[in-house]
Amino acid sequence: MSESSLTLPGRKGLRARDTVAMCTPLLNVVFVVAGSTAGALGIWGAAVVCIVLAVVSLLQNYLFAEMAAMFPGKPGGVALFAAEAWKQFSPLLASVAAFGYWCGWGLSLSLASLQIGQIVTAQWFPAATNLDVNLGIASIGLPQILAAAVMITAVGANLLGLNATVNLNKVVAAAMVFVLAGLLVPPVIFTEWSTASFSFNLLGEGSSVVSVLVWMYVGAWSIYGSELCATFAPEYRRPVRDVKRALKTMAMIYILVYALVPIITAGAIGEQGVVTDPVNFGVNFYSQMLGEPAGGVVAVILVVATFAALLSSSADASHALKGLAQEKLTISQLAHTNRRGAPSGALVFTLVVNLVVLFFVGNIVAIIIAANLGYMISVTLATAGFLIMRKTHAHIPRPIKLGRYWVPVAVAVTAFNATILIAGAFNPGLAAGGQGTEILIALLLLLLGGLFYWVRWRFQATKVA
């Protein structure tokens, strides 16, 4: 099958660089992941965790590229791959697996918006941290209020259509490249850069193999995030070429950023400077190196970048839900689109769930743990689905066909993902902020996915999405 035959007729479509721009703002999560992990494992330990996850992400992106090219007209990305592979064995499992993918990207709205709220509060309203109201089951402060406002604004922007998200992210991606370049190059040249403060506690005192696996579980969602490029396969101008190029390019960028940013930045401000304030250590670096005005400018850039990441996440999550509904694996209302083509039903549902999570969880690492359970289930079943579809979908043309040696690679990646999934699900308390309730929230959301599947087939069987 020629690539031209896979191009969607009558549409301009996205290019690889458009979805790379959409993914680039997601790199701001490097601060949360690297900083939090360094607090437990040291800078060198955090670097090892990040590099391993980034390499795994690159390998599985090749698997996703083959699967995305098999279904160029269907949205959903990883959620679609998991559902297609498993629905012949258990449609309910396929629905839960795909809904788990939505959990990963959907809950990132509360994560990213809370990150914005914390950066703004710390940078411009530090005194407001004393005004938090503890309601027992929920804590409400300025970061949560700002986060709610940001979340509502982002969903409203996505209701205007995908083009608005792409255009904003192109501008923000350029600003993020500038910020990250400032973190990677000048510290070594213009400061007394040193690794003297670095520690390596990968398997040292207070650490274990299980705790390392749990921190890999925590970091997986953000570092695996380059797979977002596959979700928009139907939107590409040339789906085969663009999806392959976008997935490979973004994975390589993730390896570079996650390997170097924590090491080089910590060499300039010390490991403790990273560990003490993992959300803001990038801002603190610029403030120390260039003064408070520079820190303020970078804070603004990171806030805008986080907002752009929020737009990308909500677009990805809503398109995945829309694709799930079109495959009749969840309620038909989630397939509804407005006159601009935006998946309005999925966007509104995602907003409501995230507002609840924002006020009743309210901890960034805890939100990551909750989001990761469904996400890792989906990713693990999708990489296993690569192996299954080599047998069950042999009749479908593969414009991107990986060699036979990718079969053992897929087995290894699936085994790795399953291992960190099990470790993280059963030991959330080994991560900072983990209390176990996050896993309960994740399980409830997965049960909701199963309920939606039952409603679809019990009461909406004749509806066409």
Side-chain angles (χ1 to χ4, degrees), residues 265-325:
T265 306
I269 65 176
E271 179 179 299
Q272 197 58 38
V274 172
V275 171
T276 302
D277 194 358
V279 175
N280 295 293
F281 78 77
V283 175
N284 295 337
F285 163 79
Y286 276 100
S287 296
Q288 290 183 32
M289 296 299 105
L290 302 176
E292 289 297 329
V297 171
V298 172
V300 171
I301 293 174
L302 289 179
V303 166
V304 176
T306 305
F307 181 76
L310 198 158
L311 288 177
S312 297
S313 300
S314 57
D316 184 44
S318 59
H319 276 74
L321 270 188
K322 174 187 172 184
L324 191 61

Side-chain angles (χ1 to χ4, degrees), residues 317-360:
S318 59
H319 276 74
L321 270 188
K322 174 187 172 184
L324 191 61
Q326 289 175 338
E327 292 296 309
K328 299 184 179 180
L329 293 173
T330 191
I331 56 176
S332 60
Q333 287 83 356
L334 298 180
H336 181 268
T337 57
N338 62 17
R339 60 187 179 87
R340 293 180 178 269
S344 52
L347 281 168
V348 171
F349 171 76
T350 301
L351 173 62
V352 171
V353 171
N354 274 275
L355 287 172
V356 173
V357 170
L358 172 66
F359 289 110
F360 287 91

Side-chain angles (χ1 to χ4, degrees), residues 1 43 75 109 131 144 159-160 195 243 285 345 352 433 441:
M1 181 179 291
I43 284 293
L109 270 72
L131 302 178
Q144 284 78 19
L159 288 171
L160 297 178
T195 61
V243 74
F285 163 79
V352 171
I441 291 172

Side-chain angles (χ1 to χ4, degrees), residues 22-23 26 29 76 78-79 98-112 220-229 231-232 254 309-318 320 350 354 371-372 374-375 378-379:
M22 290 180 69
C23 282
L26 297 171
V29 187
V78 170
F99 203 80
Y101 180 80
W102 168 84
C103 289
W105 284 106
L107 293 187
S108 65
L109 270 72
S110 50
L111 166 67
W221 167 79
S222 57
I223 301 178
Y224 286 2
S226 56
E227 52 79 13
L228 177 148
C229 299
T231 303
F232 303 100
Y254 268 57
L310 198 158
L311 288 177
S312 297
S313 300
S314 57
D316 184 44
S318 59
T350 301
N354 274 275
N372 258 9
Y375 180 77
S378 184
V379 169

Side-chain angles (χ1 to χ4, degrees), residues 157-176:
N158 266 324
L159 288 171
L160 297 178
L162 192 57
N163 285 338
T165 298
V166 172
N167 291 333
L168 173 63
N169 280 17
K170 284 181 179 179
V171 177
V172 175
M176 272 298 293

Side-chain angles (χ1 to χ4, degrees), residues 115-126 142 146 280 299 303:
Q115 188 179 359
I116 290 175
Q118 291 183 352
I119 291 175
V120 171
T121 300
Q123 186 69 25
W124 293 290
F125 306 102
L142 182 59
L146 291 173
N280 295 293
V303 166

